[in-house]
Every structure is written in C-alpha cells, then in structure tokens.
Amino acid sequence: MTMTLAQLLAPMPVERFFAEYHDRLPLHLKGDPAKFAAVFSWRQINRLLDMTHAWSSHSLQLVLDGKPIAAEEYCTRATGRDSNAQLMQPVTARVREWVQKGASIVMNDVDSLTPGLASVSHAIESAGLGKAQANVYISWQSHKAFPAHYDTHDVWAVQVEGEKTWNIWEGRADWPISHPLWRSQDQAHHEQHKGKLRAKILMKPGDLLYLPRGWYHDALAEAPASVHVAYGAHAPNGMDVMNILLERVLYETVFRQPLPRQDGSAAAKFALTQRAGQLGARVAELAKDPKVMAVLEQYVADYRFQRGGNDLLAWRGMAAPAAAEGEEAAEGGAFRVIPGGAKPVRRGAEWVLKTATGTVPLNPAEAEAAQWLLARPDITEAELKRAHPAADAAALLARLREAGLLAAT
C-alpha cells in the first residue's frame, strides 16, 4: 500500500502546510478513525512482538513513569543467530510483568516492518522531507513514558489506537542535531527552556500531529491503552554540504599540504592565517562548482531510506511481476473495528444493526456475529467463520465495511 503527503495531511492542502506550518509551527489535524486503520493494529503489534529473535534491548525498550527500565530487568543474555556476539533479548514473561505495572513499550525502527508502517514513511519521503524513521509507542492510562523534551528531527505522530493528550510548550531549541552537544542536555535544562504551555491536544484514532524539529512536548495516555507511531523526518542540512566538500577537497593539493609550522613568531601566525584564508576561499569556489552542485542536488533528491521492491520469482522469470501497489486483489484478511457505538437491535421478529448514520438489516445469525465482532479491536474473515459458522462471513463483513464500521488492514 502507498500513501501520499496529500492523503496524510487531508483535509489540509499540501500548499497550505508548506506555507504556514512546515518548520514553523505545530499542527494538529483531526481525522476519521478509519484514516490510519491500515497503518498499524493490536494484531500486528502482537505478531511483531512474537518475532522474539528480531528484538533486542535497543529495538524494544520499556519505560515506566519517565524512567527507562534497565535491560537486565526484562531481557536475558543470548547469542545472536548470525554470530557468536552476545546481546540482550527481551523475555516475554518479564515484559508482561512490566506491562502489568504500567510500563510503556517502545518499538524502535519499525518503518519497514509492515506495508502500513512503510506507507506513512513513503508519504513523508516522497515529498522530499527527509529520511522517515518510525518508532511505536504503546502506553497505558495515567502512565507517562517521557517528560518534556524536544527531538532533533521533525515529528509526524499518527494516532492508531486509544487516546493520548499531548502538551505542546512554547519553547523551541535552535535547530538541534543528533550530537553530544544537544544529547547531553539534562532534564533540568529542558524544564528551564520548555517555556509556558502553548496547547493541550487530545489525539484520537485518525489524528495527525506535526511538530517542527526542536519543539518541546510531552504526552500522557488518556484511554486505557494508547498506540501512536512517531515518524522522525531527518532532513539533510548544512553539515551534509560540508561532508560532500570534504570528499571533494581530497583532490586538491593545497588541502593535503602540511599547515605552516608554529613557533610563536608573528610571521608563523601570519602564514597560518594566510593559509586558512586560502583554504576558505577555495572551499567557497568549490561550493559553486557545477559538479559539486550536481552531487549535492542528487544527494538531497535521494535522501530517503530504501524499502521494498523485492519480487524474487519475477526476477527469475518464473512468474509475472506482482501487482502494482494499490492494485492488489482484496484478500478479505484483517479488518479494524471502527468504534462508534453500533449495536444489533431487535425490532419485533427482525434484527437491525443501529449505527450513527442509519441501520443495517440482519438475520439472527448475523446479529449474533455482529455483536461478537464489534466488541473486538479487529477481526479476520477466518476468525469470524470459525466463531459464527452460521453467518455468511464475507457478506456480513462487506456490509459492515459499507456502513463504515470496518476498515481493511
């Protein structure tokens, strides 16, 4: 599946976002609960966590009321599957104990693990906003994972489950980067510089929150459970220009020559000053060189992570290429239940499903099946068939989708 920046920002026009908000101001956009239904779900969370060998104390972290849980408290030392290197691997039973105490789960670097997660990264990167890396934050009511802080990248937060209140402060760090100069700042510094409360935002499923790099914020779950995916957009900056120029000056003799020896004399200091000026002038000339600019333009244009595109059988000529994204045949697989208070109601000998927009006629078997599935966070056609074999699962799911009560994931 794919997503564009226009779909991510809808109903706000992309032009307005760039004119008024990008790198300027925070933005909260309310959305329909179905908007991000295909991005992530509880079912997918559990499936990914079940891939136990894929996780480590770095990729899966626990935080309780603002304090990180030490790896030794929820992991065991294990040998990596592809080497003899030792790593800390999460233990399901220990993770469960911490979750029962209210610990939040952070799943790092997940932007390529499912098509839904990758779709938002694609929307951000295709718009030239930088490399989009994603972390999932799973938290529980009244337990805050992190105190007020800022990030060294733009944040695009997508709410997929439950509700979370975000505090947006007035303070903004001056374009910080991931460097010890900024990473070493302690919480006292953040509390001093976060400023006054600018806004308190309640994020619900389908909502989007954009925060420019360096903007102070913190969040607290308001529903029994909350899941949001935070995409960090790392845009290229002036430091990248310096790195490209560093590669270029390797071919310049004057940059490979030794600097004037310093003996404390005025003549030696003058010689060093002259050489530094000469080097600076040459760097300025190289920054305007068409070949250097061509490399820089391509670097910025290609500044994104590479994901997907694999089609092994087609590569070997053993099968036709897979359908283009968005053209796949519907699998009738998993569906997210969209909360809205719908429920089966009996009217004499007939049953109907009462929704916010009208009613859906049901037979008795469908009424029982509908009541069961609407009490779940998600459902598959296979599960519905097993639980309620008397109901026509495919037909019922299709009608509930038409009524806006289900969204394919």
Side-chain angles (χ1 to χ4, degrees):
M1 61 180 294
T2 59
M3 183 182 294
T4 65
L5 187 64
Q7 292 171 319
L8 184 63
L9 288 170
M12 174 175 285
V14 172
E15 295 77 14
R16 183 184 173 193
F17 168 75
F18 282 113
E20 300 180 20
Y21 294 96
H22 180 239
D23 205 26
R24 293 180 178 87
L25 294 170
L27 171 66
H28 173 219
L29 289 174
K30 294 183 178 181
D32 184 273
K35 182 177 181 180
F36 299 128
V39 172
F40 212 37
S41 68
W42 287 114
R43 182 184 300 272
Q44 292 170 320
I45 289 171
N46 291 331
R47 285 177 178 172
L48 290 180
L49 291 178
D50 282 345
M51 301 176 187
T52 51
H53 71 279
W55 300 100
S56 69
S57 58
H58 171 73
S59 57
L60 185 70
Q61 299 177 340
L62 302 182
V63 183
L64 180 60
D65 298 329
K67 297 180 180 179
I69 307 301
E72 293 76 14
E73 296 294 326
Y74 68 97
C75 296
T76 188
R77 193 166 296 280
T79 301
R81 294 195 177 193
D82 58 350
S83 70
N84 291 324
Q86 294 290 299
L87 53 82
M88 296 298 287
Q89 191 171 85
V91 178
T92 300
R94 296 182 190 176
V95 173
R96 180 177 66 242
E97 291 174 359
W98 281 107
V99 168
Q100 290 172 340
K101 295 176 183 179
S104 297
I105 293 179
V106 183
M107 304 167 70
N108 291 317
D109 300 316
V110 300
D111 42 279
S112 64
L113 298 189
T114 72
L117 290 169
S119 68
V120 179
S121 292
H122 179 271
I124 295 169
E125 293 178 341
S126 295
L129 295 172
K131 295 180 177 180
Q133 172 264 347
N135 298 336
V136 172
Y137 296 87
I138 307 166
S139 49
W140 319 102
Q141 194 167 35
S142 302
H143 288 281
K144 180 182 291 188
F146 301 101
H149 65 284
Y150 63 75
D151 291 292
T152 57
H153 48 258
D154 283 6
V155 174
W156 296 76
V158 172
Q159 189 73 21
V160 295
E161 296 280 2
E163 299 178 357
K164 177 168 278 191
T165 294
W166 290 65
N167 293 319
I168 311 300
W169 304 91
E170 290 184 344
R172 184 185 183 185
D174 190 17
W175 283 280
I177 60 175
S178 183
H179 183 276
L181 184 61
W182 288 272
R183 292 199 302 266
S184 62
Q185 294 171 345
D186 59 19
Q187 191 56 39
H189 172 91
H190 295 318
E191 294 299 327
Q192 181 181 356
H193 290 83
K194 70 181 183 181
K196 297 179 180 179
L197 185 66
R198 172 190 174 91
K200 187 178 286 289
I201 295 171
L202 178 61
M203 292 278 286
K204 298 183 178 182
D207 284 9
L208 172 73
L209 177 64
Y210 165 76
L211 293 174
R213 173 162 52 127
W215 212 288
Y216 276 100
H217 62 278
D218 59 77
L220 180 67
E222 295 293 349
S226 169
V227 180
H228 80 270
V229 187
Y231 291 84
H234 302 257
N237 56 44
M239 302 297 290
D240 296 299
V241 177
M242 297 303 296
N243 290 332
I244 290 174
L245 289 172
L246 180 61
E247 293 279 339
R248 177 61 182 81
V249 299
L250 289 173
Y251 301 95
E252 298 283 318
T253 302
V254 67
F255 285 92
R256 302 197 305 270
Q257 293 174 344
L259 296 174
R261 185 179 65 85
Q262 295 297 290
D263 58 9
S265 66
K269 292 180 180 179
F270 178 76
L272 184 60
T273 300
Q274 289 292 98
R275 178 69 65 80
Q278 180 186 11
L279 296 175
R282 183 57 182 149
V283 167
E285 292 174 357
L286 290 173
K288 300 176 183 178
D289 187 298
K291 293 182 179 178
V292 173
M293 283 305 303
V295 171
L296 179 59
E297 289 170 6
Q298 193 62 51
Y299 176 83
V300 174
D302 294 341
Y303 200 80
R304 58 184 300 165
F305 291 121
Q306 298 301 315
R307 303 181 188 83
N310 294 290
D311 197 343
L312 302 186
L313 293 179
W315 294 348
R316 292 290 299 174
M318 300 169 63
E325 292 190 60
E327 298 177 358
E328 304 91 339
E331 298 178 356
F335 300 88
R336 173 81 62 82
V337 176
I338 307 301
K343 61 180 180 180
V345 176
R346 186 169 185 171
R347 294 180 176 176
E350 305 293 330
W351 283 90
V352 297
L353 184 64
K354 188 176 181 181
T355 72
T357 58
T359 60
V360 178
L362 302 171
N363 61 43
E366 291 174 336
E368 184 179 354
Q371 185 170 6
W372 175 79
L373 75 85
L374 290 174
R376 300 168 57 86
D378 52 29
I379 187 68
T380 67
E381 184 174 328
E383 289 172 337
L384 182 57
K385 287 179 178 178
R386 287 195 299 268
H388 295 272
D392 185 336
L396 178 58
L397 291 173
R399 287 153 63 199
L400 295 184
R401 287 188 68 183
E402 291 176 2
L405 302 177
L406 299 177
T409 63

